[in-house]
Every structure is written in structure tokens, then in C-alpha cells.
Amino acid sequence: MAIRILITGGTFDKEYDELHGTLYFKDTHLPEMLTLGRCRLEVQIRTVMMVDSLDMTGEDRDLVLEQCRKSPENQIVVTHGTDTMVETAQLLGRSIRDKTIVLTGAMVPYAFGSSDGLFNLGSALSFAQTLPPGTYIAMNGRCFRWDNVRKNRELGIFETMESQG
Amino acid sequence: MAIRILITGGTFDKEYDELHGTLYFKDTHLPEMLTLGRCRLEVQIRTVMMVDSLDMTGEDRDLVLEQCRKSPENQIVVTHGTDTMVETAQLLGRSIRDKTIVLTGAMVPYAFGSSDGLFNLGSALSFAQTLPPGTYIAMNGRCFRWDNVRKNRELGIFETMESQG
Amino acid sequence: MAIRILITGGTFDKEYDELHGTLYFKDTHLPEMLTLGRCRLEVQIRTVMMVDSLDMTGEDRDLVLEQCRKSPENQIVVTHGTDTMVETAQLLGRSIRDKTIVLTGAMVPYAFGSSDGLFNLGSALSFAQTLPPGTYIAMNGRCFRWDNVRKNRELGIFETMESQG
Amino acid sequence: MAIRILITGGTFDKEYDELHGTLYFKDTHLPEMLTLGRCRLEVQIRTVMMVDSLDMTGEDRDLVLEQCRKSPENQIVVTHGTDTMVETAQLLGRSIRDKTIVLTGAMVPYAFGSSDGLFNLGSALSFAQTLPPGTYIAMNGRCFRWDNVRKNRELGIFETMESQG
């Protein structure tokens, strides 16, 4: 029972370009993070894109959907920028009913040391193994259904719709 | 729906004593790890002991059992040294049937940078929220039932009984 | 024999703003770095400004010069962004002859883990204690006189004028 | 003008053995540390031994002396455990007069994140480039002559003989 990991970029995988003092994408840190976590799950990793989720287009989102549809594995973790994670979750949640899809990301790049990425990855992989089919967001140690979640941009956290910001 | 976190020490919380060049226990790193993980779960943390699990006595284990029994929360994460984690899991698994108890630990102290601790904590908290009552071990990204798990000391990983070492 | 440390910002002290995904300045990391280095030198730390050295104006540079002039300590370390470090070194070098001034910085923010900052700080403090009066740049483990140094922007290193890029 | 770096082990290079929960030596971290420091000095690195300095014998010390004598480079940095660093410094200081030898080490293993190693390495390399021939210890940001230094074991710092512990 393998888990598919689809990588789309996001803060998770950003790095510091020391020649220009800017943030950019190079390679994904996922394999390194799984090694650090001494993870022994059977995983299939596929980099779908490496973008800031604010730059993600409708076409990009369709590509993620397509990859989830085609995945032979029924448990899928999608790493994603937090800014439009809810939007992608809604597309996946409305379109796919027979797989457990868990989106996760990070508030701080994994490479920066103070990142929540490793915690979130451990969390997402566990939710993917135990939750019934559906699309979820795993952030802040919690699990949200795709149709009841929003990002609170002031606090930098995810919450249910009923929560007051 | 709060989660109780019981701390017993283990590699998780070991630190380097720079005056003597040895490993020792000071305070738990749990609150710091939850902050790093931007965890927004309601948690009740209680330090039950701070010991190397090789030094854990039968009495110590009874204390952990007692704390699980008394816990008003039905979802419990126990941080524990990996060497005798299976033993404690067996005691809890045989004795408590109405709560979801997840033991986890680390192969490398959290304070040393290359630790699997943060990954395991994210993993354990997620399993505690989603698994049915029973006692489990969350290590290596996987979840093991208390009555079908052993530590493979050569590889430093946890596996089911059927696995060959 | 105390050493004065003047802080002007630069990559050294940049942090990641997780709410906006940008780099910014908050507080200096110098005290934390000195603690990490178990530094027992008597130091006087003063934050003169917290700016990206690309944004440093002529007035800003005059302020640094003024602070060096007024310093009762004759050994001074100036933390500075690398982009215009040479310019500030030239101003100080031409203007002050009776003090040992060492400018240093970092290619990667100290807070990001993979920083050269701690190495450079150790280096700069040592050069400040041992070099004759004059203005120097301490980067890449080396020491450059203010009138024979340039930043090679393609390689992200400092070199003497004779070096070919 | 190259600098010779002689490696003898010490806390600097200790690692955590996650299978046995003990500290041990594998490979030196020096090349990795020089890369992190973006060091552009010409260096010749030679591992002489990898031992805890408490286990260093008279023969071991003679070997270090021999390596310093034979070194074609006149500027030498020796990484060394802190516990008997002073002893080795005394042997080198009494025996070699025409080279600048700087011993340094770390209170916490480099691999553990909270190490002073990178700071000390930057410091030692700078002292080696600027101090007159003689043997020195570079620790705590300071530089000590071989014949006026001791390790204060209560505080875990180096100090001159006159200092009171």
C-alpha cells in the first residue's frame, strides 16, 4: 500500500539564492525530509511543478487534478503553497471521491531551520493513511475537510469556516 | 477535543552536556516542537518522568499506565525512548481499551538538528486524532498495533512481527 | 580591551516573514551568535541601523563613520550587507587611521541555518584583535585591505583587485 | 600561502550513533564547515587521528608534533578536544618556534546545531594568518599563548593563568 506524493512547490521547497538575496525554487526537499523522518513508508514521489501558489493558474490546478486522477495509489499527499491551498483543495474535493488526498505545506521554507514542514509532512502522511476517501488539508497539526477550511492570513493559520478570525 | 501528551523522556528529549561531554535530560522540548510545528491543537502536556527507556522500571511503566487511565482526554500521545517502547505499549494495550494511545519517540535527540522527532510528533498527533481506541506505536511514518510490533535494533527501525529483520 | 561591534543590518540579520513570504529585519542576531560561539571577549554592541546595504545612503554611511570615530574602543567590527560593503570600507579606510576596523557580513541570513555568518563573525573578531590600525573586510576566511578588495558578484565572493573574476 | 589544518578529533567531530545512543567519530566535518563558511583560503587538510582528547597518549601527541614539524606550511590550525588541548599546546609550544600554530576545538559537536565549532574555526584560521610564530589556543573568541592558558572545567571556558576560576 504505497502513498503517492505530488509536489507542486510552495514555501515548503523555497531556497535562498545567496547571489541575489531572493527566494527561489531548485529541487524539492521531500526525499531529504523523508530520510530525516526515517520514513519507511513506500512512497512514489512526483514533482508536478515547482511554483509559488500565488502564481498557480487554473491550468496548473487542472494538472494537479489530472495527476491525482491518474494515480494508481489511493492515498495521496500534495505539497502546496499555503496561499491558494484551499482553492486547489476545493477543485480536488469536488472532483475526486474515491481517494484520500491530503494537501499540506509550510509557513517557512524547510531549508531555513525553523520550518514547520517536517511536522506537517509527518502529519499529512498519517492522515493520508487513516482518513476515509475525500480531500483534506493538514496544517497546524489539524485536519480540515476541503469544504470547511480557510487560511487566516492575519494569523498565518488554517481554520474552519465557523472560526472567527 | 483536547489531546493529552505524556512525556517520559527518551532520546527525544536528551541534550548534550557540554561540561561533561555526556547526554542528559533537562527540560522537555515538546512545547518548543509544537510551536515550531505551528500546532493549533488543544493539548494538555504532562511530564511523567524524564528517563532513558532502558532505565524504565516496572513501577515507572505502571505510572504511565496510571496517567493514561486517569486522563480525561481520550486521545493520548506518549513520548518514550525507543528501546523499551514496545514493552510499555504492550502494558497499555492490554490494560486500556477505551482510549486511543499513540507512543512515539526519536532515534536522534530533537536538539541535535538531524532528529526525526518533529516528523514523528506530527505523525503521532495525527494518528491519535484518527485511529479507533487502542494502543499504537507511531514511528518511521507508520503506525503499528501494540501487539504486532518490534524494534529492529540492527536497522534502528520499527516493523511488524512478520517482517524479517 | 573591549571590542566595539556596530550593526548595520545586511543579509546577516535578515529573517523570513512567514505571513508575507518576504525577508525583513527584526532584531539583530549578534548577541545570540556570540552566545553560540561561547565568546568571552568584552564587547560593546550598538545597532546603528538595520538596512539592506543596497538601500544604504551616503548619509547612512556617514553615520557609520561617525560611530567609528566616536568609539572609545580602538578595535571595531562592523556587520554590513555585502553588496556595498566595499564602498563603506573605502569611506572608513580613507577617514580613520588610528583604529582597527573590520567589516564583515554573510551571504545567507544567520537564521537560515546554512549561513556563513558565525564563521565570519569569529573571523572578524580575531582580525580585529590582531591587525594593525586600518580598515579591512573579513569574508571567505580571508582579510582584505579596504583599498584592495571587490565583491565578485558572479561568484558571490570577495577578492583582491588583481584577481580575475 | 596555504594553511595546514591538522585534525585530531575531539568534540568538534563527534557524532551521535542513533543505533546505540552514544557519541562516536566517523568522518571529520572540516570540509563541510569550510564550505559553509564560504572559505576561500588555500588549505591542506590532514586527519592525524580521530580521538577523544582524554584518550590521547604521549605517543599521539608526538605524532601531532611530528606533523607540525613536517608541515611545509608555516601556518597551522590543529582541531583538538578541549580536555587536554592545553597539554598538546605546551608540547608544541616548547618544541616549535618557527611556525604559527593555533589549536582550537568545540564545546558541542558541530553536528548538533548549537555548536561553537564554526565560530572557533573562523577565529582560529584568522589568528593563524596574523599572529607571529608561536603556539596558541583559540577559544571563546580569544587567543591564548600556550604558556599562559588553562581550561576552567567548571565554566567550560579557557582563561589565562591569572584569571580566577
Side-chain angles (χ1 to χ4, degrees):
Chain A
M1 187 186 72
I3 298 178
R4 175 147 300 235
I5 301 180
L6 298 177
I7 291 158
T8 72
T11 298
F12 223 65
D13 271 332
K14 277 196 183 159
E15 303 208 37
Y16 185 75
D17 172 0
E18 67 184 74
L19 292 185
H20 305 98
T22 52
L23 301 170
Y24 77 122
F25 292 107
K26 203 167 57 174
D27 300 318
T28 179
H29 296 88
L30 251 290
E32 182 187 338
M33 293 168 77
L34 293 171
T35 300
L36 193 62
R38 277 79 178 160
C39 187
R40 306 287 293 192
L41 294 167
E42 200 187 320
V43 295
Q44 298 293 335
I45 302 179
R46 184 183 175 115
T47 301
V48 183
M49 63 196 72
M50 280 296 254
V51 301
D52 191 310
S53 81
L54 287 174
D55 299 332
M56 211 181 252
T57 63
E59 246 169 67
D60 288 336
R61 260 179 261 280
D62 286 339
L63 204 58
V64 178
L65 171 60
E66 180 65 16
Q67 287 292 328
C68 287
R69 276 212 177 104
K70 289 197 322 192
S71 163
E73 293 82 15
N74 285 319
Q75 302 180 336
I76 304 174
V77 167
V78 181
T79 69
H80 198 289
T82 58
D83 282 315
T84 68
M85 190 186 282
V86 171
E87 236 179 291
T88 303
Q90 287 169 349
L91 175 65
L92 299 179
R94 274 192 301 260
S95 314
I96 299 180
R97 306 275 169 163
D98 59 341
K99 288 174 175 161
T100 301
I101 303 174
V102 182
L103 293 90
T104 196
M107 294 305 293
V108 172
Y110 170 69
F112 291 3
S114 60
S115 176
D116 49 339
L118 195 63
F119 180 85
N120 293 343
L121 181 61
S123 180
L125 285 168
S126 299
F127 283 132
Q129 292 173 73
T130 50
L131 287 171
T135 296
Y136 309 86
I137 281 180
M139 288 292 289
N140 307 118
R142 305 174 65 192
C143 187
F144 304 90
R145 286 172 45 100
W146 66 269
D147 54 1
N148 187 17
V149 59
R150 67 173 169 210
K151 183 180 175 186
N152 180 322
R153 287 173 210 287
E154 283 71 45
L155 300 179
I157 60 169
F158 284 75
E159 56 190 19
T160 56
M161 295 300 195
E162 309 84 66
S163 313
Q164 66 178 40
Chain B
M1 187 188 69
I3 298 178
R4 175 148 300 236
I5 301 180
L6 298 177
I7 291 159
T8 73
T11 298
F12 224 65
D13 271 331
K14 276 195 183 158
E15 303 209 37
Y16 185 75
D17 172 359
E18 67 184 75
L19 292 185
H20 305 98
T22 52
L23 301 170
Y24 77 121
F25 293 107
K26 204 167 55 176
D27 300 319
T28 179
H29 296 87
L30 251 290
E32 183 187 336
M33 294 169 76
L34 293 171
T35 300
L36 194 60
R38 277 79 178 161
C39 188
R40 306 288 292 194
L41 295 167
E42 198 186 323
V43 295
Q44 297 293 336
I45 303 179
R46 184 182 175 115
T47 300
V48 183
M49 62 196 73
M50 280 295 255
V51 300
D52 190 310
S53 81
L54 286 174
D55 299 332
M56 211 180 251
T57 64
E59 246 170 66
D60 288 335
R61 258 177 263 281
D62 286 340
L63 204 58
V64 178
L65 172 59
E66 180 65 15
Q67 287 292 329
C68 288
R69 276 213 176 102
K70 291 197 320 191
S71 164
E73 293 83 16
N74 285 319
Q75 302 179 336
I76 304 174
V77 167
V78 181
T79 70
H80 198 288
T82 59
D83 282 316
T84 69
M85 190 186 283
V86 171
E87 237 177 292
T88 304
Q90 287 169 349
L91 175 65
L92 300 179
R94 273 192 301 262
S95 314
I96 299 180
R97 305 277 169 162
D98 58 341
K99 288 175 176 162
T100 300
I101 302 174
V102 182
L103 292 91
T104 196
M107 293 304 293
V108 172
Y110 170 68
F112 292 4
S114 60
S115 176
D116 49 338
L118 195 62
F119 179 85
N120 293 344
L121 182 61
S123 181
L125 285 168
S126 300
F127 283 132
Q129 292 172 74
T130 50
L131 287 171
T135 296
Y136 309 86
I137 281 181
M139 287 292 289
N140 307 119
R142 304 175 64 192
C143 187
F144 303 90
R145 286 172 44 99
W146 66 269
D147 55 0
N148 188 16
V149 58
R150 69 174 169 210
K151 182 179 176 187
N152 180 322
R153 288 174 209 286
E154 282 71 46
L155 300 179
I157 60 170
F158 284 76
E159 57 191 17
T160 57
M161 295 299 194
E162 309 85 64
S163 314
Q164 67 177 39
Chain C
M1 186 187 70
I3 299 178
R4 175 148 300 236
I5 300 180
L6 299 176
I7 291 159
T8 73
T11 297
F12 224 65
D13 271 331
K14 276 194 183 159
E15 303 209 38
Y16 185 74
D17 172 0
E18 67 185 75
L19 291 186
H20 305 97
T22 52
L23 301 170
Y24 77 121
F25 292 107
K26 203 168 55 175
D27 300 318
T28 179
H29 296 87
L30 251 290
E32 182 187 337
M33 293 169 76
L34 293 170
T35 300
L36 193 61
R38 277 80 177 160
C39 187
R40 306 289 291 195
L41 295 167
E42 199 186 322
V43 295
Q44 297 292 336
I45 303 179
R46 185 184 174 113
T47 301
V48 184
M49 63 197 73
M50 281 295 254
V51 299
D52 190 310
S53 81
L54 287 174
D55 299 332
M56 211 181 250
T57 64
E59 245 171 67
D60 288 336
R61 259 177 261 282
D62 286 340
L63 204 59
V64 178
L65 171 59
E66 181 65 16
Q67 287 291 328
C68 287
R69 276 214 177 101
K70 290 197 321 191
S71 163
E73 293 84 15
N74 285 319
Q75 301 179 337
I76 304 173
V77 167
V78 181
T79 69
H80 199 288
T82 59
D83 282 315
T84 68
M85 190 187 282
V86 171
E87 236 178 291
T88 303
Q90 287 168 350
L91 174 65
L92 300 179
R94 272 193 301 261
S95 314
I96 299 180
R97 305 277 170 161
D98 59 341
K99 288 174 176 161
T100 300
I101 302 173
V102 182
L103 293 91
T104 196
M107 293 304 292
V108 172
Y110 170 69
F112 292 4
S114 60
S115 176
D116 50 337
L118 195 63
F119 179 85
N120 293 344
L121 181 61
S123 181
L125 285 168
S126 299
F127 283 133
Q129 292 174 73
T130 50
L131 287 171
T135 297
Y136 309 86
I137 281 179
M139 287 292 289
N140 307 117
R142 305 175 64 191
C143 187
F144 303 90
R145 287 173 44 100
W146 65 270
D147 55 1
N148 188 18
V149 58
R150 69 172 168 211
K151 183 180 175 187
N152 180 323
R153 288 174 209 285
E154 281 73 44
L155 300 179
I157 60 170
F158 283 76
E159 56 191 18
T160 58
M161 295 298 195
E162 309 85 63
S163 314
Q164 67 177 40
Chain D
M1 186 188 71
I3 298 178
R4 175 148 299 236
I5 301 180
L6 297 176
I7 291 158
T8 73
T11 297
F12 223 66
D13 272 331
K14 276 194 184 161
E15 304 207 37
Y16 185 75
D17 173 359
E18 68 184 74
L19 291 185
H20 305 97
T22 52
L23 301 170
Y24 77 122
F25 292 107
K26 203 167 57 175
D27 300 319
T28 179
H29 296 87
L30 251 290
E32 183 187 337
M33 294 169 76
L34 293 170
T35 299
L36 193 60
R38 278 78 177 162
C39 187
R40 306 289 293 194
L41 294 166
E42 199 185 322
V43 294
Q44 297 293 335
I45 302 179
R46 185 183 174 114
T47 301
V48 182
M49 63 196 73
M50 280 296 254
V51 300
D52 190 310
S53 82
L54 286 175
D55 299 332
M56 213 182 249
T57 63
E59 246 170 66
D60 288 336
R61 261 179 259 281
D62 286 340
L63 205 59
V64 178
L65 172 59
E66 180 66 16
Q67 287 291 329
C68 287
R69 275 212 176 104
K70 290 197 322 192
S71 162
E73 294 83 15
N74 286 319
Q75 302 179 337
I76 303 174
V77 167
V78 181
T79 69
H80 199 288
T82 59
D83 282 315
T84 68
M85 192 186 280
V86 171
E87 237 178 290
T88 303
Q90 287 169 349
L91 175 65
L92 300 179
R94 274 192 300 262
S95 314
I96 299 180
R97 305 278 169 161
D98 58 341
K99 288 173 176 163
T100 301
I101 302 173
V102 182
L103 293 91
T104 196
M107 293 305 292
V108 172
Y110 170 68
F112 292 3
S114 60
S115 176
D116 50 337
L118 195 64
F119 179 85
N120 293 343
L121 182 61
S123 181
L125 285 168
S126 299
F127 283 133
Q129 293 173 71
T130 49
L131 287 171
T135 295
Y136 309 87
I137 281 180
M139 287 293 289
N140 307 117
R142 305 175 62 191
C143 187
F144 303 90
R145 286 173 45 99
W146 66 270
D147 55 1
N148 188 16
V149 58
R150 70 173 167 209
K151 182 180 174 186
N152 180 322
R153 287 172 210 287
E154 282 72 45
L155 300 180
I157 60 169
F158 285 76
E159 56 190 19
T160 57
M161 295 298 196
E162 309 85 64
S163 315
Q164 66 178 37

